[in-house]
Amino acid sequence: MSFSRTFPLKQPLRKLQPHVLVAVVALMLAFAFLGARGIWDPDEGRYTNVGLVMLDSGDWLNPMRNHETGHWTKPPMTYWAIAASVGTFGRNEWAARLPSALSYLACVWLVWLIARRLVPGEEPMAALAFATMLLPFGASQFISTDFLLAALQALAVWAYIESRAQSSQSGRWLLLAGAAFGMAFLTKGPPGLLPVLVILAHRTLVPPRESKPLHVLGAIAVFVVVAAPWFVAVIHAQPDLLGYFLGEEVVDRFASDDFNRNGQWYGWIVVYLPAIVLGTMPWTRSALRWICGLPREVMSWRDHSRRKEAEADVLLAAWLILPLVIFCVARSRMPLYVLPLFVPIALIVARWRARSNLPIPSLRMLSIWVVVLIGLKFSSSLWSTHKDASEWAKAIEARVPSPPSEVVFVEDMARYGLNLYLSAQVEKVSLADSSDGPFNPQFDSTFLSELHERERDVLYVAKKGRWTEVERVAKEGGFSAVRVGSPYRGRIFFSVTHESDGG
């Protein structure tokens, strides 16, 4: 199969060439105020913290949330990216968010390249649609695994498309697809392979002119070479990790609501419907129009004379629908899970607008929307929230004479983002014994066992409502809890001394 040029090129914008316009818009949206907002816990803080622990310890194999406890919920690719960025550009919010911003730019570029095959002549429209959609824009300013995953999956699908379009070079393109899938697997595990289902469905409905099994085997071999070594190494060191990965991180996330992520039967409506409808703004109408016309396109598939024209629709429909069905069936649901689907949605928008002979919006309208998006980004940097680790860092620095080497949260949400600002280990401990398993426990240890480590320069944080209990547990262990400064956001900062130290 080769994707043919279906739509004619439109006239370029009067003031800017399309590729210049796309580059300017994407770069502005990616980098304006990228470091203006503090790191927000729990997600941004957690991912940043693990990357920093890797960087500080020099252990790039084992993801750790502190020097005592591993963090195995995700493979290491995102942590590697954050650690490399911070190691290169310094310990700041801009560097921590740079991998997300670069992944966003990579997706814009890949949408352009894919549009050359699926929507020829509409490359600027497709790239602009992705760059200016609300959800991709917002996600580009947020630290998570999802944008890196979206970029790697888009790279894999683009390589597959090129392998079909350039049959003489199909082997090389499939090797690239295998490598991209390997890195996607290292980013988020099995969900990184969802586009494989799309490719299989497309190959079934639109068989290639020439089947080359050796090329497919080569792609599989490259995938194994890229993805397997890390898993083999960590499971060899800790054999029980295999059961944890397969059980909790695959089966439980798919089939149970143990992670409290909208696992109700209607959870997919609550999470994914607004994520897609609002997240595709200002292009929602175009995407919905294409979806409404999809049954007609499916029916046209029966007409052999129109099959070649409909081949791109088959791929786009499979790319959007198959992963979305799996996301809806799975009982762990979060809005950013569908972020990779915005690549085919942007292509869908461009394809529908081309069929409807709709031009690229005027420079004025586009400028207004870009200003709105940048304004939203700036406004978020002014929003005061208890999740902002930079505000917690300022509160701590105002209350202690010197930065602590460790901050321990007692029966409270750990602000892992503090590691970026204070270069301090962050721990979370329980007042009573916890029955957590060996991997990713809720608490690193108990409060009393943490006290018995007798570490220096440790600052403790507890809710006001637990202060009496904290004092009692410390006293029973032979320690004395001493308040440090005034409370902050309903929390008490305190240090601990042992009776033998004269406390």
Side-chain angles (χ1 to χ4, degrees):
M1 164 191 168
S2 68
F3 295 101
S4 60
R5 180 173 290 273
T6 307
F7 305 109
L9 283 166
K10 294 185 179 296
Q11 293 182 352
L13 294 176
R14 293 178 181 178
K15 296 184 178 181
L16 289 174
Q17 291 296 320
H19 64 280
V20 176
L21 175 66
V22 172
V24 169
V25 169
L27 289 169
M28 287 179 59
L29 293 178
F31 293 121
F33 303 113
L34 182 63
R37 176 173 61 79
I39 297 297
W40 283 356
D41 283 297
D43 291 335
E44 283 198 310
R46 183 173 63 252
Y47 291 121
T48 302
N49 173 64
V50 176
L52 292 175
V53 172
M54 278 188 172
L55 183 64
D56 295 338
S57 67
D59 181 0
W60 294 70
L61 183 65
N62 300 292
M64 304 287 290
R65 64 192 194 201
N66 50 60
H67 60 280
E68 297 177 355
T69 308
H71 185 75
W72 301 100
T73 61
K74 298 291 184 296
M77 184 64 74
T78 302
Y79 312 131
W80 289 343
I82 294 171
S85 180
V86 172
T88 303
F89 298 105
R91 214 177 184 97
N92 56 71
E93 298 94 335
W94 188 91
R97 293 198 181 98
L98 182 60
S100 292
L102 292 179
S103 296
Y104 160 82
L105 292 174
C107 282
V108 173
W109 176 61
L110 287 164
V111 166
W112 181 294
L113 294 177
I114 294 171
R116 286 182 178 178
R117 298 296 181 186
L118 302 189
V119 202
E122 297 299 321
E123 297 94 328
M125 184 65 255
L128 276 175
F130 184 88
T132 56
M133 282 183 186
L134 189 58
L135 185 67
F137 161 75
S140 71
Q141 312 301 301
F142 189 77
I143 302 168
S144 74
T145 61
D146 298 288
F147 231 132
L148 182 57
L149 178 70
L152 291 169
Q153 288 184 337
L155 176 62
V157 176
W158 172 60
Y160 164 72
I161 291 171
E162 291 297 329
S163 75
R164 299 288 296 258
Q166 303 182 45
S167 57
S168 63
Q169 302 292 325
S170 64
R172 295 180 181 180
W173 287 110
L174 288 178
L175 291 179
L176 176 60
F181 277 126
M183 290 185 287
F185 198 81
L186 279 175
T187 301
K188 211 168 182 177
L193 301 183
L194 285 178
V196 172
L197 299 179
V198 177
I199 291 172
L200 292 175
H202 185 254
R203 284 176 61 91
T204 300
L205 295 172
V206 188
R209 287 195 299 260
E210 183 180 357
S211 180
K212 299 179 179 178
L214 287 180
H215 291 173
V216 176
L217 292 176
I220 294 173
V222 169
F223 164 78
V224 172
V225 168
V226 172
W230 180 82
F231 285 96
V232 171
V234 297
I235 291 172
H236 179 266
Q238 301 183 67
D240 290 342
L241 271 175
L242 178 60
Y244 170 79
F245 286 146
L246 295 177
E248 294 189 38
E249 293 300 328
V250 177
V251 176
D252 289 351
R253 283 186 182 273
F254 183 85
S256 76
D257 191 25
D258 292 348
F259 295 86
N260 297 314
R261 294 188 171 181
N262 307 288
Q264 309 90 338
W265 67 267
Y266 55 84
W268 63 275
I269 300 175
V270 174
V271 176
Y272 297 139
L273 187 61
I276 292 176
V277 172
L278 298 179
T280 52
M281 291 176 60
W283 311 103
T284 308
R285 183 180 179 185
S286 297
L288 293 178
R289 287 287 186 88
W290 181 90
I291 292 173
C292 291
L294 185 59
R296 182 177 65 254
E297 296 300 324
V298 172
M299 293 300 294
S300 72
W301 183 251
R302 298 179 179 180
D303 185 352
H304 288 275
S305 64
R306 295 193 59 193
R307 280 203 170 187
K308 192 170 186 179
E309 181 181 347
E311 287 176 358
D313 287 307
V314 172
L315 179 59
L316 291 173
W319 196 354
L320 173 63
I321 294 172
L322 289 179
L324 183 58
V325 168
I326 293 175
F327 289 142
C328 291
V329 172
R331 298 188 62 192
S332 178
R333 307 180 182 108
M334 296 293 285
L336 287 184
Y337 288 178
V338 296
L339 177 62
L341 303 186
F342 280 70
V343 172
I345 290 174
L347 295 161
I348 284 167
V349 168
R351 192 162 177 83
W352 184 83
R353 292 179 68 88
R355 283 177 175 161
S356 305
N357 267 332
L358 296 177
I360 293 177
S362 68
L363 191 58
R364 179 184 177 186
M365 295 302 297
L366 188 61
S367 299
I368 292 173
W369 180 245
V370 169
V371 169
V372 169
L373 293 178
I374 293 177
L376 289 174
K377 187 193 296 191
F378 177 71
S379 299
S380 70
S381 69
L382 303 177
W383 183 32
S384 179
T385 170
H386 73 94
K387 295 182 177 182
D388 190 338
S390 67
E391 293 189 4
W392 280 85
K394 292 174 184 177
I396 290 173
E397 289 173 336
R399 288 163 174 77
V400 298
S402 60
S405 62
E406 191 172 298
V407 181
V408 179
F409 289 84
V410 183
E411 294 279 357
D412 192 14
M413 185 181 86
R415 271 67 184 185
Y416 287 110
L418 287 172
N419 192 348
L420 183 74
Y421 303 101
L422 302 177
S423 297
Q425 294 279 316
V426 179
E427 296 187 23
K428 178 180 179 180
V429 299
S430 61
L431 286 168
D433 289 337
S434 175
S435 58
D436 289 343
F439 302 110
N440 296 317
Q442 181 181 1
F443 300 100
D444 297 306
S445 64
T446 64
F447 178 48
L448 199 55
S449 63
E450 178 68 25
L451 296 183
H452 281 296
E453 292 181 9
R454 308 284 292 274
E455 294 174 307
R456 294 180 177 273
D457 301 322
V458 178
L459 181 68
Y460 296 86
V461 185
K463 295 178 181 178
K464 280 185 177 180
R466 309 299 293 264
W467 178 242
T468 301
E469 188 178 0
V470 167
E471 285 188 304
R472 177 184 59 79
V473 173
K475 186 175 181 180
E476 290 175 354
F479 296 87
S480 177
V482 182
R483 292 192 186 211
V484 176
S486 59
Y488 174 75
R489 291 191 178 273
R491 270 73 175 178
I492 293 174
F493 299 108
F494 64 99
S495 61
V496 173
T497 57
H498 192 266
E499 292 177 355
S500 62
D501 299 326

